[in-house]
């Protein structure tokens, strides 16, 4: 597979107007499998890191996701590159976009995540799902019911529940809250405890049920929940988002300026 072939595959997964290049470096890297340079819009792939084209395409899609996001940012700024130092590159929005592209790539036959290549792995996966994820989910539901009962008994005995959690159970309060919540709000334990916690954030039972089905069908939980939340609260237009970000930054700058003045005054008085 050469540079042009990879580029054509990426464009078939999702077309984009802003041009980019793909380069197989012919190298092996212990640090990264690939790299995207937003200034020059280059996708570099260290192809000596991969055993198969399937692995190569996975990384190519990852770097292409950066290009698509870069394209959208340039459109918002009128083509001006704004470097955000220390900004998080792999945001939740990035991962949601990347996973959506992977699904498209699978549907078009460019990429596959197929456990049939390893029957042993397929069997192990079923064991993990049934005997650990689902079993742990059920156990945490029962745990939550016991914590709710303990809370009621603490009130009857005039004992502060928070102190009981802190010094008797030695259980973090937030953890206790999350565990109790999965016992109160009906969630399918087959999705696993970590996903159960996330699903309790969906207020409508029909949304939780729909999200459960998507997760059990193999959809990424974070992507599913993000989509559900977008349906519940439509995303603001780009201008509104930038205005909100400006206001947050202005507030932060004002707070830091005030803090800087106090530090300088303290230094001057020493």
């Amino acid at each position: 597979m050469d540079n042009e072939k990879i580029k054509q595959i990426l464009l078939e997964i999702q077309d984009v107007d802003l041009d980019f290049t793909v380069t197989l470096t012919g190298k092996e890297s212990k640090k990264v499998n690939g790299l995207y340079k937003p200034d020059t819009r280059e996708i570099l792939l260290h192809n000596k890191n991969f055993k198969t084209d399937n692995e190569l395409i996975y990384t190519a899609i990852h770097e292409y996701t950066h290009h698509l996001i870069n394209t959208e940012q340039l459109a918002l700024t009128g083509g001006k590159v704004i470097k955000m130092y220390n900004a998080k590159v792999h945001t939740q929005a990035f991962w949601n976009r990347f996973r959506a592209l992977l699904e498209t790539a699978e549907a078009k036959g460019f990429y596959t995540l197929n456990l049939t290549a390893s029957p042993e792995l397929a069997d192990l996966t079923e064991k993990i799902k049934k005997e650990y994820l689902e079993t742990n989910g059920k156990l945490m539901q029962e745990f939550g019911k016991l914590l709710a009962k303990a809370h009621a008994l603490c009130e009857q005995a005039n004992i502060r529940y928070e102190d009981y959690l802190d010094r008797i159970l030695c259980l973090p309060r937030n953890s206790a809250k999350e565990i109790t919540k999965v016992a109160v709000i009906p969630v399918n334990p087959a999705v696993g405890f970590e996903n159960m916690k996330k699903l309790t954030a969906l207020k409508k039972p029909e949304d939780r049920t729909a999200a459960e089905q998507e997760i059990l069908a193999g959809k990424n939980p974070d992507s599913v929940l993000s989509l559900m939340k977008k349906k519940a609260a439509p995303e603001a237009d780009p201008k509104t988002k930038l205005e909100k970000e400006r206001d947050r930054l202005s507030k932060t700058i004002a707070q830091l300026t005030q803090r800087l003045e106090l530090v300088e005054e303290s230094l001057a008085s020493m």
Side-chain angles (χ1 to χ4, degrees):
M1 189 172 290
D2 58 21
N3 299 334
E4 191 57 34
K5 176 63 176 178
I6 296 169
K7 181 176 180 178
Q8 289 306 313
I9 287 174
L10 295 175
L11 288 171
E12 286 192 48
I13 293 170
Q14 182 175 328
D15 200 1
V16 66
D17 292 331
L18 188 64
D19 196 21
F20 65 97
T21 60
V22 174
T23 302
L24 296 173
T25 66
K27 299 177 181 178
E28 180 180 354
S29 171
K30 293 182 179 180
K31 293 182 178 180
V32 294
N33 290 322
L35 184 68
Y36 175 68
K37 295 184 176 182
D39 293 343
T40 55
R41 301 187 289 279
E42 294 177 90
I43 292 175
L44 302 178
L45 301 171
H46 299 311
N47 49 301
K48 289 292 182 69
N49 282 20
F50 313 114
K51 295 179 181 178
T52 66
D53 285 346
N54 200 51
E55 294 174 308
L56 175 65
I57 290 298
Y58 177 89
T59 299
I61 294 171
H62 178 109
E63 303 308 335
Y64 187 52
T65 307
H66 286 301
H67 177 66
L68 294 175
I69 293 173
N70 184 41
T71 300
E72 293 168 358
Q73 290 175 339
L74 289 174
L76 287 174
T77 61
K80 184 179 179 181
V81 177
I82 300 176
K83 292 185 177 181
M84 300 291 287
Y85 295 100
N86 297 322
K88 187 176 181 181
V89 176
H90 294 119
T91 62
Q92 190 56 57
F94 170 88
W95 290 117
N96 291 343
R97 185 73 167 273
F98 173 50
R99 290 166 188 138
L101 291 174
L102 283 176
E103 290 180 5
T104 302
E106 282 190 281
K108 290 178 177 289
F110 297 127
Y111 174 74
T112 182
L113 178 60
N114 191 352
L115 300 187
T116 58
S118 174
E120 185 178 0
L121 177 59
D123 291 341
L124 179 62
T125 301
E126 284 304 307
K127 182 181 179 68
I128 291 171
K129 286 183 176 181
K130 293 297 295 182
E131 297 182 24
Y132 293 87
L133 288 176
E134 185 172 353
T135 299
N136 185 53
K138 290 177 180 177
L139 184 64
M140 298 310 280
Q141 281 181 327
E142 293 300 319
F143 189 6
K145 292 175 183 177
L146 293 178
L147 286 176
K149 185 176 180 180
H151 193 172
L153 291 173
C154 281
E155 291 183 344
Q156 291 176 21
N158 296 318
I159 294 172
R160 289 290 301 190
Y161 179 60
E162 294 82 1
D163 195 22
Y164 171 76
L165 291 173
D166 292 345
R167 298 196 297 134
I168 301 298
L169 295 183
C170 298
L171 181 67
R173 298 181 189 184
N174 285 339
S175 296
K177 185 177 180 181
E178 290 175 337
I179 295 167
T180 304
K181 207 170 182 181
V182 300
V184 175
I185 299 175
V187 182
N188 188 344
V191 299
F193 177 59
E194 292 302 319
N195 291 327
M196 291 167 71
K197 290 191 295 183
K198 295 175 182 178
L199 288 170
T200 58
L202 299 175
K203 296 180 179 180
K204 296 181 180 180
E206 58 270 26
D207 287 345
R208 286 198 301 274
T209 300
E212 285 173 3
Q213 292 173 350
E214 290 285 309
I215 293 170
L216 291 172
K219 298 285 185 178
N220 179 267
D222 290 326
S223 299
V224 171
L225 291 169
S226 177
L227 183 60
M228 289 291 179
K229 289 176 181 177
K230 279 185 179 179
K231 289 181 179 178
E235 189 175 357
D237 64 272
K239 183 181 178 182
T240 302
K241 288 174 67 177
L242 286 173
E243 287 174 343
K244 287 183 177 179
E245 184 178 4
R246 177 199 61 195
D247 294 341
R248 286 196 301 270
L249 291 171
S250 297
K251 185 177 179 180
T252 300
I253 291 170
Q255 292 172 338
L256 291 173
T257 301
Q258 185 179 21
R259 177 60 184 164
L260 178 60
E261 290 173 355
L262 289 172
V263 171
E264 288 179 339
E265 288 175 4
S266 298
L267 287 171
S269 64
M270 288 181 177

